[in-house]
Amino acid sequence: AVAGGCPWTARPVTREAQLKALACIERLMHRLGEMWQDVEEPTRPSECARAVAAICAYAMFDAVIRKQASDSPMEISVMLNEGDGYSLSTGVGRRRGLDIERASEWL
C-alpha cells in the first residue's frame, strides 16, 4: 500500500495487479453470498448491511476495472474511458415522476 495516498493513482498499475484485485473482489462477494444463504430470516437492518456491502464491492470493482493498466490495458478498461466514458443512468424514474421518498417506504 502507498502511505497517505490511493494505490490506484499514486503509481502505474499493471494488468496482473488489476486482475488480482478484480478476482479478490469477486471472491469476497461470492463468499458473502455463500454466507448469506445461511441466514434463514434476515432482519431489515441486516438486509441493508448486505446491500451496502454489495454496493461498495460494485464501486470497488468499477474503480479497478476503469483504471487502465500501464503495461497491457484490458479492452474493457479502454472502452470505459473512451469519450465521456460510461456511467449508469441516475435519471431513470425521475422522468416518470417517481417519488423516491414514497418508493423507499416500501423497501
Side-chain angles (χ1 to χ4, degrees):
V2 176
C6 175
W8 295 102
T9 58
R11 62 179 180 244
V13 175
T14 64
R15 184 180 185 134
E16 181 183 3
Q18 185 180 29
L19 290 172
K20 282 182 180 180
L22 292 171
C24 182
I25 295 167
E26 189 272 334
R27 283 192 310 270
L28 287 170
M29 289 311 297
H30 184 78
R31 184 60 47 110
L32 177 65
E34 286 177 335
M35 291 185 328
W36 197 251
Q37 295 300 312
D38 291 338
V39 179
E40 294 287 330
E41 295 181 30
T43 63
R44 187 171 180 171
S46 63
E47 276 285 348
C48 292
R50 181 196 56 82
V52 168
I55 291 167
C56 290
Y58 169 74
M60 290 186 299
F61 193 91
D62 184 68
V64 172
I65 206 163
R66 286 177 187 272
K67 178 74 174 172
Q68 291 190 35
S70 59
D71 54 353
S72 177
M74 293 187 291
E75 289 299 319
I76 191 167
S77 299
V78 173
M79 181 188 74
L80 289 172
N81 286 289
E82 286 178 343
D84 291 334
Y86 172 81
S87 63
L88 297 174
S89 172
T90 57
V92 175
R94 291 187 181 147
R95 287 177 280 203
R96 297 185 324 187
L98 178 66
D99 181 5
I100 300 296
E101 293 296 323
R102 224 174 109 223
S104 66
E105 291 174 3
W106 295 97
L107 296 177

